[in-house]
């Protein structure tokens, strides 16, 4: 006998300021540049205005430029290492299990999606 198919409840999250208190770049990437977060974001905003760029593409462009100036490699390994320092909101480590159980109690299959233009 087939299991009953439950309706899917999809929850979608941004990452920065939703799952983590700050922008993920502020935990390791920006400090490894030797920059202050406020200075980095101000530079990104100025670059976007000057070149009429989208803010997401603009900050990524500034990341490339500033890393290049300092000889910082931008690789999967670099980002994985830096990602280990990203802090998550308190309780997030149990959030998904708790919300899955709650959804199940209401007759739903819960699916979670992180939709972010940031770094993985």
């Amino acid at each position: 006998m087939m299991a009953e198919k439950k309706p899917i409840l999809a929850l979608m999250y941004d990452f920065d300021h939703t799952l983590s208190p700050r922008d993920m770049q502020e935990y390791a990437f920006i400090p490894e540049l030797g920059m202050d977060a406020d200075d980095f974001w101000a530079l990104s905003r100025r670059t976007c205005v000057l070149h009429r760029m989208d803010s997401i593409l603009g900050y990524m462009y500034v990341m490339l430029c500033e890393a290049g100036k300092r000889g910082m490699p931008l690789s999967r390994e670099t980002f994985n290492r830096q990602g280990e320092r990203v802090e998550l909101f308190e309780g997030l480590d149990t959030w998904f299990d708790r919300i899955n159980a709650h959804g199940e109690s209401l007759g739903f299959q819960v699916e979670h999606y992180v939709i972010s233009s940031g770094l993985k």
Side-chain angles (χ1 to χ4, degrees):
M1 180 150 63
M2 283 182 37
E4 176 188 346
K5 187 169 173 118
K6 297 179 181 179
I8 294 172
L9 175 65
L11 297 176
M12 290 163 267
Y13 311 87
D14 183 33
F15 187 84
D16 300 321
H17 305 274
T18 301
L19 303 178
S20 178
R22 299 184 347 222
D23 294 294
M24 67 180 76
Q25 298 82 358
E26 295 179 12
Y27 291 98
F29 180 82
I30 295 171
E32 287 184 21
L33 290 175
M35 293 182 76
D36 175 76
D38 290 339
D39 294 337
F40 176 86
W41 296 119
L43 176 60
S44 295
R45 283 189 296 278
R46 285 192 308 274
T47 300
C48 290
V49 169
L50 180 65
H51 298 288
R52 300 179 54 149
M53 298 175 78
D54 171 79
S55 62
I56 303 296
L57 296 176
Y59 91 73
M60 289 182 176
Y61 175 75
V62 170
M63 288 178 71
L64 288 170
C65 291
E66 295 302 310
K69 287 178 191 175
R70 293 161 176 81
M72 177 193 290
L74 295 181
S75 64
R76 177 182 296 265
E77 293 77 23
T78 301
F79 289 137
N80 282 340
R81 179 182 49 75
Q82 291 173 343
E84 293 173 2
R85 294 173 39 197
V86 173
E87 296 174 17
L88 303 174
F89 276 115
E90 184 176 337
L92 189 64
D93 58 337
T94 61
W95 165 257
F96 298 100
D97 289 338
R98 290 183 287 126
I99 202 68
N100 288 349
H102 183 64
E104 180 78 24
S105 76
L106 297 174
F108 292 99
Q109 173 187 330
V110 179
E111 294 182 1
H112 304 269
Y113 298 91
V114 177
I115 301 172
S116 178
S117 61
L119 309 174
K120 184 174 178 180

